Amino acid sequence: MTPRKDLLDIASLTDEEISFVLDNAGPFKDLFKRSVKKVPTLKGRTMLTLFYEPSTRTRSSFEVAASRLSADVTHFDIESSSVVKGESVLDTVETLEAMRVDYIVVRHKQAGTPNLIAKNTRASVINAGDGWHAHPTQALLDAFTLREIHKDLRGCRALIVGDIQHSRVARSTSLIFRRLGMQVAYLAPGSMMPREVPQEIPQFGNWTDAFEWKPDVIYLLRVQGERLDEPLIPSSAEYHRNYGLTDERVKVLRERGLHLMHPGPVNRGVEITDAGMSYEKCLINQQVENGIAVRMSVLYWLRPGAAE
């Protein structure tokens, strides 16, 4: 299959491309069991991370993925760069072009910035999250994680809980789940529910109605207060009481055998309790591990020169 240059969102991917990335993530994950976890696939290539927003998990995951493929990895330090002096994104891209990097992994608070960069560089651009728009590798790793549990995802039901309105994860993950034949529903307070929701996605305002929908997996979103100009809920305690995974709700998950997911990092006592984190069907750590395998697959798929 001919690879494309960039990965900017889920919507632009074909079913074949989604399957390619997910299918190849499995063999890459098998490498983790070896004493030597590196392969020479990207030897001589360079990946640069360009993060205009703080990130620990996503950036580290990409760096480990590239390292295991034998690529050289470097980070463009925004805080000590000319960006703080007013340098524009395109000025920065022009500088990176001169460095001849092969991949640029971008995170930016402004939706559409990775697309702008992709149009102005020969490097393969990977969107690591842009505003409220998209987070494609998170969606791919979520789908891969569920495929390890449910070999056939058709008909599987996922309940996404939290700040749907401001979540790029919710947008990307709900889309890929539905592309793979799953059913998706939203549970959120009115202030966090999008005004426009696809007709096929049920919307719930409380856990009682949501549980009656009989989901197979609960996907909690992080309450991202740092992205909001003003609070959408009176307090984190009230959010936890009404929409968080309390100890009592963990008992319901256990009784029904439901799986639990979260993109991380978690806010304990807000979205989830300690009991939820230690719940035997909690997939959060599996998501972290699978994130490396999926990002290895993405880098392999977008490998410069592979289509020549």
Side-chain angles (χ1 to χ4, degrees), residues 68-265:
R68 289 185 177 176
L69 291 170
S70 299
D72 295 319
V73 179
T74 186
H75 175 64
F76 190 88
D77 191 346
I78 298 296
E79 292 185 357
S80 62
S81 74
S82 296
V83 171
V84 298
K85 301 177 182 178
E87 182 177 81
S88 71
V89 170
L90 290 182
D91 288 337
T92 301
V93 171
E94 187 174 342
T95 299
L96 299 181
E97 271 290 276
M99 296 179 182
R100 300 291 181 177
V101 299
D102 299 291
Y103 304 92
I104 301 176
V105 181
V106 184
R107 170 167 287 187
H108 200 283
K109 64 181 180 180
Q110 183 65 47
T113 298
N115 301 62
L116 176 65
I117 293 173
K119 292 177 181 177
N120 289 277
T121 180
R122 289 168 292 183
S124 291
V125 174
I126 302 172
N127 182 1
D130 61 332
W132 304 343
H133 173 233
H135 196 344
T137 59
Q138 180 68 50
L140 288 162
L141 76 88
D142 290 337
F144 178 74
T145 299
L146 278 187
R147 282 214 323 185
E148 290 186 315
I149 305 299
H150 303 277
K151 300 305 180 184
D152 186 354
L153 292 179
R154 289 175 296 180
C156 182
R157 291 187 165 192
L159 176 68
I160 300 180
V161 184
D163 188 5
I164 312 292
Q165 171 67 22
H166 305 96
S167 175
R168 56 197 177 205
V169 171
R171 283 173 172 76
S172 296
T173 293
S174 64
L175 179 56
I176 199 170
F177 281 176
R178 287 183 288 135
R179 289 279 298 273
L180 294 171
M182 293 178 60
Q183 298 178 47
V184 174
Y186 292 157
L187 167 60
S191 59
M192 294 182 172
M193 189 72 77
R195 294 180 180 177
E196 297 183 5
V197 175
Q199 191 173 8
E200 65 271 20
I201 298 181
Q203 303 171 58
F204 302 110
N206 61 76
W207 279 95
T208 300
D209 293 341
F211 278 137
E212 288 182 358
W213 185 66
K214 297 182 179 180
D216 299 293
V217 59
I218 306 298
Y219 194 110
L220 303 177
L221 298 171
R222 187 168 74 92
V223 177
Q224 304 183 51
E226 71 272 16
R227 283 206 184 89
L228 307 178
D229 295 327
E230 57 184 41
L232 296 178
I233 50 175
S235 69
S236 57
E238 181 172 333
Y239 179 88
H240 179 70
R241 183 169 57 253
N242 293 320
Y243 298 97
L245 190 68
T246 61
D247 289 351
E248 288 301 313
R249 292 171 185 140
V250 172
K251 292 179 182 178
V252 176
L253 266 63
R254 181 171 286 112
E255 291 169 358
R256 301 188 181 191
L258 309 185
H259 286 92
L260 174 63
M261 302 178 76
H262 190 297

Side-chain angles (χ1 to χ4, degrees), residues 38-50:
K38 297 185 73 169
V39 291
T41 308
L42 298 187
K43 188 175 179 61
R45 304 292 187 181
T46 301
M47 184 194 79
L48 181 140
T49 55
L50 182 63

Side-chain angles (χ1 to χ4, degrees), residues 21 24-25 27-29 31-32 37-39 41-42 61-62 64-70 289-302:
V21 172
N24 280 281
F28 282 125
K29 186 177 180 179
L31 290 174
F32 302 172
K37 300 177 177 61
K38 297 185 73 169
V39 291
T41 308
L42 298 187
S61 182
F62 269 109
V64 172
S67 177
R68 289 185 177 176
L69 291 170
S70 299
E289 181 180 21
N290 288 343
I292 298 172
V294 165
R295 288 171 177 124
M296 290 175 72
S297 184
V298 167
L299 289 166
Y300 169 72
W301 168 49
L302 298 177

